[in-house]
Amino acid sequence: MNELITVINSFQKLDTDTENAIRKFFVEEKFKKNEFIIQEHKICDKIYFISSGAVRRFCFENDEEVTKWIYTDNQFITSMSSFFEQKPSFEIFQTCEETVVYSLSYSDEQILLEYPLFLKFHLKQLRHYLSRINEFHHLFRVMTAEKKYLFLLESFPQMIQKAKLKHIASLIGVSQETLSRIRASII
C-alpha cells in the first residue's frame, strides 16, 4: 500500500484523513498468471494500481488479438470508458504473470472524490495521463518498428522484461519474426 500512497503523493500531497481513507477503500487483490482482470462486454467497476506484476490490455480487431499496452509495477489500470461511463468494456485486461493490485470500486471512488485532496490528485493524474497518451500516440504512430522497440526498451524496460515477445510484436504492429530480427540487430 505504501507504493500507492507514494505515487499519489507524487501528484498531490495528502493529509492524514485523505491517506487513511485511501488505505480504507483500496483493497489488495492477487491474480494468477493469465487471469482476466477486466473482461470484454462487462462493465469495469474497479480501477487498479499494480503493486507488482504485469497486465496486458488488448482487444479484438478482425478476430485477431491486438495488444494495446502492457502495464507494470506502480501503474494504474482500468478500462477508462467502461469505468468512467459504467458501460460494457471493449477491452480485455489479462495478467502476464502473478500480479498484486490494489483495487478501488466505482462506488468507493465516488466517496473518495468527496475528499478535496483526492479529487485534486485525480484531476492532476488524469491530465498527466491524457497528455502522455496523446503525445505517445502521436510519436508512436510515425516511428518505424525498430524505433518503437527502442523507445519501449528505453522508456518501459519492465514491459520488455515481463511481456511475451508476441505481445510486444502486436503492440508494435509487426510479426514475432520481424521483432526477433529487430532485437538481434540491436544486440
Side-chain angles (χ1 to χ4, degrees):
M1 180 71 72
N2 290 336
E3 57 272 322
L4 170 62
I5 299 298
T6 299
V7 168
I8 292 173
N9 272 316
S10 74
F11 285 95
Q12 175 61 53
K13 190 73 176 142
L14 300 173
D15 61 16
T16 304
D17 287 345
T18 306
E19 182 176 329
N20 289 339
I22 289 167
R23 290 181 183 280
K24 174 183 174 185
F25 289 114
F26 274 87
V27 177
E28 183 180 270
E29 294 186 53
K30 296 179 181 180
F31 293 93
K32 295 177 182 163
K33 183 177 180 178
N34 295 324
E35 260 191 272
F36 294 103
I37 294 178
I38 300 168
Q39 296 185 34
E40 185 179 34
H41 308 301
K42 293 188 177 180
I43 294 174
C44 174
D45 66 346
K46 293 180 182 176
I47 196 165
Y48 302 89
F49 175 82
I50 302 174
S51 176
S52 64
V55 176
R56 177 174 72 110
R57 183 179 109 226
F58 67 97
C59 62
F60 286 94
E61 295 177 6
N62 300 321
D63 296 325
E64 188 174 318
E65 280 187 16
V66 177
T67 299
K68 296 298 185 175
W69 197 249
I70 299 155
Y71 301 87
T72 57
D73 301 359
N74 299 327
Q75 292 183 314
F76 288 93
I77 61 169
T78 194
S79 177
M80 284 195 276
S81 59
S82 179
F83 182 78
F84 293 131
E85 297 179 34
Q86 289 296 277
K87 65 182 187 180
S89 177
F90 62 87
E91 304 173 294
I92 303 162
F93 288 70
Q94 182 182 31
T95 58
C96 301
E97 61 186 27
E98 286 189 14
T99 301
V100 177
V101 300
Y102 292 103
S103 66
L104 178 66
S105 71
Y106 182 82
S107 59
D108 287 342
E109 184 207 34
Q110 301 311 301
I111 296 168
L112 278 178
L113 289 173
E114 296 295 322
Y115 289 78
L117 294 179
F118 186 81
L119 179 60
K120 281 184 176 184
F121 151 72
H122 192 64
L123 291 173
K124 288 177 180 180
Q125 179 209 33
L126 283 175
R127 290 173 66 104
H128 172 78
Y129 282 152
L130 290 173
S131 173
R132 295 279 309 263
I133 288 168
N134 186 50
E135 183 180 349
F136 168 79
H137 282 295
H138 171 70
L139 293 173
F140 209 65
R141 212 174 117 262
V142 298
M143 287 180 184
T144 64
E146 184 175 329
K147 285 185 179 178
K148 287 177 183 179
Y149 182 76
L150 287 169
F151 172 78
L152 294 175
L153 188 60
E154 183 179 306
S155 302
F156 303 95
Q158 274 193 325
M159 177 193 299
I160 300 299
Q161 294 167 358
K162 293 184 174 201
K164 291 181 181 177
L165 184 65
K166 70 178 185 177
H167 296 152
I168 296 169
S170 175
L171 176 63
I172 292 173
V174 297
S175 68
Q176 280 185 245
E177 295 77 27
T178 299
L179 183 55
S180 292
R181 284 195 298 275
I182 290 170
R183 288 173 62 156
S185 73
I186 292 170
I187 298 173

